[in-house]
Amino acid sequence: MPGLLFGGDYNPEQWPEEVWAEDVRLMAEAGVTMVTVAVFAWSRLEPRPGEHDFAWLDRVLDLLHAHGVAADLATATATPPPWLVRDHPSVMPVTADGVRLEFGSRQGYCPSSPVYREHAVRLARTMATRYGRHPALRMWHVGNEYADHTLECFCEESARHFRRWLAARHGSVEALNAAWGTSCWGQHYTDFEQVAPPRRAPGPVNPGQLLDWRRFCSDALLELFEAERDVLREVTPRVPVTTNFMSILHGLDYWKWAEAEDVVSDDAYPDPADPSSHVAVALSYDLMRSLKRRPWLLLESAPSAVSWREVNVPKPPGVMRLHSLQAVARGSDGAMFFQWRQARYGPEKFHSALLPHGGERTRGWRETLRLGRDLRALAEVAGSHSPGEVALLLDWESWWGLEAPESMPSNRLRLKELMLAWYAPLHARGILVDLAPPGRDLSGYRVVIAPNLYLCTEETAKELARFAGQLVVGPFSGVVDARDQVHPGGAPGPLCELLGVAVEEFWPLPDGRVQRTTLGAARTWAEWIRLEGAEPVARYEGGDLDGRPAITRRGEVTYLSCLLDDVTPVLDDVLTRAGVAGLDVPPGVEAVRRGGHLFLLNHTTEPRRVALPWPGFDLLTRKPMRDHVELPARDAVVLRIEGSRGRTK
Ligand code: GAL
């Protein structure tokens, strides 16, 4: 579809049919181009086994099409209906304590249930066959936010599935014993049948088992997605398939998931109560852009308040628009919302919507109309893609190992926080950051930062050694291999030669303790390291580590053995060496280049004067601009940079 997409989740099954006519009239008025339909509609589409009621959805899709609105049509499998659960109680997931969960919410399925899978795939085929040629159909929406409520299940069926997965990964029970280190604490298995999911046990569970469980849970849900996707591709090979991601989600390895779908889509809910939430959400948008290195789609966001936090703060005037433009700046080909019409009942009756309870007289509706107009004005931005200058490494397996629930030197190391420590100052400098998995070609970047690589294989170490630009490695890296076993000789294992240091001892800091270094204060983590070819850049000051090296450099490689409160001195040095300049913008103003356009977004509540690096034409006000711009509070300009074509790839 040309231009940027605008719309949201549409749940007509929650409304009497008279309301639908008003829905489509108002959608047309607001310039809505696509809505997501039937996500939780299984129990209405198949009220009894094998008995379908599609008439209402036929009418909805016809009505949408007649008003120029396309459908991101769900296969409707996100919540199995009551009859399926009552006929087959094994469909419901079981907790680590052995409690089988009840019906009455959503996502009530065990990822390994063959019964759920069979019925879901059958429904997907029925949907594809019935609607594959419907002119409103633009995209398939499989499931919904996999792992939102149901990431794992500990039932016997899941145990069997886990054993099959383990047999395929390890080959033999002896190999599994070796990988999990079962000689420890007397866990040696003699048969796969003895192995179970990591259910509640008397003490800490084997970390090798936990790491494989995390891999398995991501894969088990992916299998479910792929089973539906395969049917859709068979019946409607030309209709793209997506499933909505949940930003940077611990449970699912999105590098793998993105390969399995045609379009990356994301749901993002930055907290309006947190004045810095636009930075963390930018990081997740950059992940979405990096997954396929192509434009993606913001498929859900909140027009104003959500209903699932302890306190649900609304978005003040202008913020819905600003946040939507931010997603577009970072590669989204549209802005979609949860949801179109605000519900009157159910758990989301207080969640905001494009059309609030109060209807057309509300400020919410006025903001919806304004955003629709602005997205139309930005149509030429759609389809363009800019690669980043700096890459941040993100490896899910390493993340899972790092954040194991117990038995670590410190459980204060949280990967998202470690990433944000580097990302925030890059964001403030308007430097576009890509995320990259181990194994991706890094040669296009001038700077690569690995905030943490707790799990680092020999292959990853070799790839990093081949990278010719500035490399920065954060603490507690190169500790274990893919089995979660400490590398021979200890950290940084295969990175030892590259970094030119050996870590003799981890020195985690108690909560609140500050460890000074010559480059600023460190908290949470430090290490006793020995130089093995690297030069010290900074030393610890005071305390037990006084005078020992804290930050080191060998050639183009910088290593930090601690967590600095502020990484700016290290970052600025590395950026200067790499010749990466960034953009000069005042605090709270986000600058992003996308193709031939420059987005300037003022996230503050004050006006900001911004010097323009290039003259251009503001697509929002339709005015030429040069030298500088006065950005009102919570406002934006989108500059078509002079000399660049509207649509640059
Ligand atoms: C998402 C979900 C939607 C809706 C929304 C509310 O997690 O996919 O169905 O519940 O949250 O914020």
Side-chain angles (χ1 to χ4, degrees), residues 279-300:
V279 180
V281 84
L283 175 63
S284 61
Y285 293 161
D286 286 351
L287 170 66
M288 296 304 142
R289 193 191 58 250
S290 304
L291 286 171
K292 281 183 178 293
R293 287 176 280 189
R294 284 213 297 265
W296 53 282
L297 179 61
L298 179 65
L299 203 50
E300 280 184 31

Side-chain angles (χ1 to χ4, degrees), residues 567-581:
V567 299
T568 304
V570 180
L571 182 65
D572 281 342
D573 175 51
V574 164
L575 293 174
T576 309
R577 287 168 190 266
V580 176

Side-chain angles (χ1 to χ4, degrees), residues 167-188:
R169 180 175 173 89
H170 297 288
S172 69
V173 77
E174 272 320 313
L176 175 131
N177 278 309
W180 288 9
T182 55
S183 311
C184 179
W185 288 6
Q187 295 172 357
H188 193 89

Side-chain angles (χ1 to χ4, degrees), residues 424-465:
L426 287 159
H427 177 270
R429 286 160 179 70
I431 296 172
L432 193 63
V433 175
D434 283 350
L435 282 88
R440 184 164 282 186
D441 176 13
L442 299 172
S443 56
Y445 300 105
R446 287 193 269 176
V447 177
V448 169
I449 301 173
N452 170 267
L453 264 187
Y454 164 71
L455 186 160
C456 180
T457 61
E458 297 279 349
E459 300 80 74
T460 300
K462 284 193 192 118
E463 283 156 20
L464 292 179

